[in-house]
Amino acid sequence: MKTLLLRILLVCAGMAGAFVAPANATVEININRGNVQPLPIAITDFISADGIGAQISAVVEADLKRSGLFAPVNRAAFIEKIQNPDQAPRFPDWTALKAEALVVGRIAREPDGRLRAEFRLWDTFGGQQMTGQQFFTDPKNWRRVAHMIADAIYERITGEKGYFDTRIVFVSESGPKTDRKRQLAIMDQDGENMRPLTSSKDIVLTPRFSPNRQEITYMSFEGDQPRVYLLQLETGSREVVGNFPGMTFAPRFSPDGQRVIMSLQQDGNANIYTMDLRSRTTTRLTSTAAIDTSPSYSPDGNQIVFESDRGGRQQLYIMGADGSGQRRISFGDGSYSTPVWSPRGDLIAFTKQSGGKFSIGVMKTDGSGERILTTGFHNEGPTWAPNGRVLMFFRQNAGAGGPQLYSIDLTGYNEQLVKTPSFASDPAWSPLME
């Protein structure tokens, strides 16, 4: 993954005292509560010789606001104009605005052309610096630096890892509904920096990231033959995952990235198989006259959740990684599909069809505690942010138009449209970049 580092360096000793959290710092958000009140935060334009400082701080502000946990203070109300981010601010000027936290920063260009980005996070009521960091990067990667700063602020205040320095791979759709073109595309989690990964001449479905972030697996109908492929993101090279006699679909990586689990259809039914990517040997995990599909590993790789209609309609089941102990976990009204295990290991997200509508929900891994987060005409395909606190899915509204991507947090209160240049479906969230 060295080539994915984009030559971004986190300097852990670059700002004196920046990494010591004072004992009396009181600014925090308890995200384990239900409806969290957003924290008022002031984010100033980072000082720079050109407009790059304001651009970076604007992305930081947008990331934090979109999380639903932060309420940025209107910049027009700012009293103090920050001249030197190395000096303590005039705290009464910020507490008067009810800003509980303050972010200041500076962007400079090094002699070798790199950007040096630095920021400080202040507790305005406690009058203490909470954290501060420095980054060096090629100027073309300035948006990624902004996401990294937002992650650092999010983690310091919530105690949880952020999710802003991540990417989304999805199916980009264009053209009329009767002749829709589909191709794989990738973008930053906020919808920026989108680029295509495949052409639009073949139907593509269900892209999924590898844990090592360098490749994805997906299904394609290239040559009218449905197959599972591996695509190297950096080189663009790809290969077929085995030559099976029937249709292969719903591929997903194991947590260690060494195997692909998928469904193989033969003689009208479908069963779940794994393939070792090193030896190319396959192992069959289910053997029923039903349709078993959409497998997803637990984070430790010991269990698998999948959907099956073996009981008459689609329901969720769990089994051991070797196929043992298969048991049903969903028992609510309606049909359940597209299960995916949370990176935290505590929840399973799913699509539920009931009463003519489609919902995105979560349940505990034993099937208890089911909660519906959002319901619509057609919602489908949840995918987890790497911190296990936010989901992305796609929605198709009734009538004309096409699918769009949305995100929603586990409270169900913060639903956000993720804007894309074209229609979009089948999102998959990457791990945090390194």
Side-chain angles (χ1 to χ4, degrees):
M1 287 302 293
K2 289 183 179 178
T3 54
L4 283 184
L5 292 177
L6 303 176
R7 295 182 298 279
I8 294 181
L9 176 64
L10 169 61
V11 180
C12 294
M15 302 176 71
F19 300 94
V20 179
N24 60 343
T26 58
V27 178
E28 63 178 20
I29 298 175
N30 182 359
I31 62 178
N32 293 309
R33 294 195 319 233
N35 188 5
V36 177
Q37 187 69 26
L39 179 86
I41 186 170
I43 303 170
T44 64
D45 283 343
F46 290 3
I47 295 171
S48 66
D50 50 22
I52 191 67
Q55 289 177 294
I56 288 177
S57 59
V59 172
V60 173
E61 179 175 310
D63 279 347
L64 295 176
K65 181 178 181 180
R66 197 168 51 254
S67 75
L69 299 178
F70 298 86
V73 176
N74 188 336
R75 297 187 184 195
F78 290 179
I79 301 170
E80 180 185 13
K81 181 176 176 59
I82 299 297
Q83 303 287 348
N84 183 0
D86 297 327
Q87 292 181 349
R90 298 197 303 263
F91 295 112
D93 287 356
W94 300 101
T95 56
L97 303 176
K98 295 183 171 52
E100 297 183 33
L102 169 67
V103 180
V104 301
R106 176 193 293 116
I107 310 297
R109 295 186 183 270
E110 296 291 286
D112 60 5
R114 294 180 303 163
L115 286 182
R116 183 180 77 249
E118 55 190 47
F119 81 96
R120 295 177 187 267
L121 173 65
W122 295 91
D123 173 354
T124 58
F125 284 88
Q128 298 284 346
Q129 180 176 304
M130 300 181 68
T131 190
Q133 295 178 10
Q134 237 185 145
F135 304 88
F136 293 88
T137 186
D138 187 294
K140 67 182 180 182
N141 299 321
W142 67 269
R143 290 191 67 90
R144 186 176 174 200
V145 167
H147 295 318
M148 295 170 77
I149 291 172
D151 277 336
I153 295 167
Y154 182 100
E155 181 173 2
R156 179 62 188 87
I157 293 179
T158 69
E160 300 276 353
K161 287 284 187 182
Y163 58 92
F164 307 117
D165 186 26
T166 55
R167 296 184 292 177
I168 306 293
V169 63
F170 65 102
V171 177
S172 177
E173 303 187 16
S174 59
K177 203 168 187 177
T178 55
D179 187 26
R180 190 64 53 82
K181 305 297 182 183
R182 293 175 173 85
Q183 63 185 135
L184 294 189
I186 193 169
M187 64 183 181
D188 295 347
Q189 54 77 29
D190 59 355
E192 298 291 335
N193 291 331
M194 193 197 93
R195 63 182 175 91
L197 296 174
T198 63
S199 69
S200 59
K201 64 180 181 179
D202 299 304
I203 296 175
V204 290
L205 298 168
T206 59
R208 301 290 181 259
F209 272 98
S210 166
N212 65 18
R213 308 164 186 83
Q214 296 185 61
E215 61 185 352
I216 61 171
T217 181
Y218 67 98
M219 177 186 171
S220 173
F221 282 81
E222 184 173 334
D224 295 324
Q225 178 64 46
R227 297 190 186 279
V228 172
Y229 287 83
L230 290 178
L231 173 65
Q232 298 291 330
L233 289 173
E234 294 185 35
T235 66
S237 63
R238 65 185 189 131
E239 59 181 311
V240 176
V241 180
N243 288 305
F244 302 103
M247 178 188 294
T248 52
F249 52 99
R252 194 181 292 272
F253 285 96
S254 61
D256 61 7
Q258 300 300 317
R259 289 162 291 163
V260 169
I261 190 169
M262 56 198 159
S263 189
L264 173 60
Q265 183 174 349
Q266 293 176 308
D267 302 323
N269 62 320
N271 283 286
I272 295 173
Y273 291 73
T274 62
M275 170 176 275
D276 188 300
L277 294 176
R278 296 159 296 185
S279 66
R280 297 291 166 155
T281 58
T282 59
T283 302
R284 183 171 180 167
L285 300 182
T286 67
S287 182
T288 68
I291 296 177
D292 298 341
T293 188
S294 299
S296 173
Y297 279 98
S298 61
D300 61 10
N302 292 331
Q303 297 184 87
I304 296 164
V305 63
F306 63 100
E307 66 176 88
S308 175
D309 65 356
R310 63 183 67 179
R313 62 181 179 182
Q314 291 167 291
Q315 297 291 334
L316 303 188
Y317 292 77
I318 281 181
M319 62 182 170
D322 60 356
S324 63
Q326 298 178 23
R327 62 194 185 277
R328 179 175 163 179
I329 63 168
S330 62
F331 294 94
D333 294 334
S335 300
Y336 295 76
S337 59
T338 66
V340 57
W341 216 300
S342 165
R344 301 170 66 89
D346 57 341
L347 296 171
I348 292 170
F350 56 85
T351 301
K352 182 177 181 177
Q353 184 179 4
S354 180
K357 294 187 176 182
F358 289 77
S359 302
I360 302 297
V362 294
M363 64 174 64
K364 295 180 181 179
T365 58
D366 62 0
S368 65
E370 178 179 320
R371 289 190 294 117
I372 298 301
L373 302 180
T374 184
T375 298
F377 175 75
H378 189 170
N379 297 329
E380 195 173 350
T383 180
W384 290 95
N387 68 353
R389 294 294 185 185
V390 180
L391 287 162
M392 191 174 291
F393 62 97
F394 70 95
R395 170 178 291 157
Q396 172 75 57
N397 291 315
Q404 294 178 293
L405 302 185
Y406 287 80
S407 66
I408 192 166
D409 63 21
L410 287 181
T411 68
Y413 291 103
N414 183 39
E415 186 174 294
Q416 302 277 340
L417 171 67
V418 182
K419 294 183 179 180
T420 54
S422 59
F423 298 136
S425 61
D426 274 352
W429 216 313
S430 80
L432 278 172
M433 297 175 67
E434 293 183 352

